Amino acid sequence: MPKASSPTWFNAAAPVARRVRAYFAPVNRAAQQPVLFDPSQQGGFDLDNPPAPWISLGFIQNFLRKAASKSGAIMSGIPAVAQEQIRESLGARVGFQFLSWTKLTMALATGSQHMNVLASTTGSVPEPAGAEPFAAVSVQSGSTAAHIALSAEDATQFTVGQIVAVDCDYAGQTGYLGSPITGAYLRQPLSDPDYLRRITFNVALVAGVSSSSITLAQPLPCGAPASGAKVQAVTGFVDREGGSFYHEWSALFVMEGTQGERIFFHYPRLQPVASAEESAQPLSGKGQGRLERIALSAEFTALPITDPLDNERVVCYRSFVPAPRALV
């Protein structure tokens, strides 16, 4: 009789990970509702295809998180001795560098509002955030997050390789603007009909143009265009140092070990705390001494939520999924 095979268990060593992956999801600012990560249901998700609404921002470097909470003691007696420990304040900081420049990484790496530079008309008065833009064109019915239906006349205005912003006309709203990704907070109405398309995160690259539509290289982050949405060409992005608006996002950082284990750092509420800053990193090889990589530096402060489990106030969850067959 052949001997039955038996499972092989091993003692788990400290995880060895190469880099950290970053995922962000928009907080519903009006409802003050963050996006929660559930390790019991999502701990094994495909890192290249995160579950909605998490958006992958790729690898980051120099990831550093620092607790800013302070504890103290209640002293009593003669001489005074510690009778009880209390938490005096609750907070945390997170810092790292993005390895790519995109609409979203720029927005997360600035401590203020981030906007789209709409393509402007010839001869318009120069403005630091973009001059008077070309008129937006209407999105037709049947559009999806990756396919925008247009009239035949409007479709000829776009070319492959352009960036477009897709959102509704501004109509005098105040408060938090942009859904599901908040892009601004207005205290008083403006007279700019293009303002929502200036601050929207619903932007994408045009991959194809037909006689009645444009096809996008990636789906719009905010999904299919809303009823009444319009399209405008975008030439770039701009953020301003100063202002009073702070982005707020839910964040998930993942370290994947070589044995298959995973460490998750889930911050339900993160707000940028530093102004826009870049760092120059010398390249090795042929470009050494002549070329530098410009990385986006980002720093955040963690805000608390009330855990529904027991109503405790917390700023971060650290989860660990052990490697297969590792002893625990």
Side-chain angles (χ1 to χ4, degrees), residues 217-270:
Q218 70 266 51
L220 292 166
C222 300
S227 176
K230 295 182 178 179
V231 187
Q232 276 175 298
V234 172
T235 62
F237 308 107
V238 60
D239 51 46
R240 306 172 296 188
E241 188 161 347
S244 58
F245 176 72
Y246 290 92
H247 289 273
E248 183 172 319
W249 294 77
S250 299
L252 180 67
F253 304 100
V254 184
M255 294 178 178
E256 186 177 35
T258 54
Q259 301 284 349
E261 66 273 55
R262 290 182 177 181
I263 305 172
F264 296 95
F265 302 98
H266 173 214
Y267 290 87
R269 298 178 64 201
L270 279 186

Side-chain angles (χ1 to χ4, degrees), residues 43-54:
F45 76 87
D46 183 348
L47 296 179
D48 294 323
N49 296 286
W54 295 103

Side-chain angles (χ1 to χ4, degrees), residues 6-27:
S6 59
T8 302
W9 315 111
F10 65 91
N11 291 319
V16 177
R18 289 185 175 86
R19 285 179 175 175
V20 181
R21 287 175 178 252
Y23 304 87
F24 282 76
V27 170

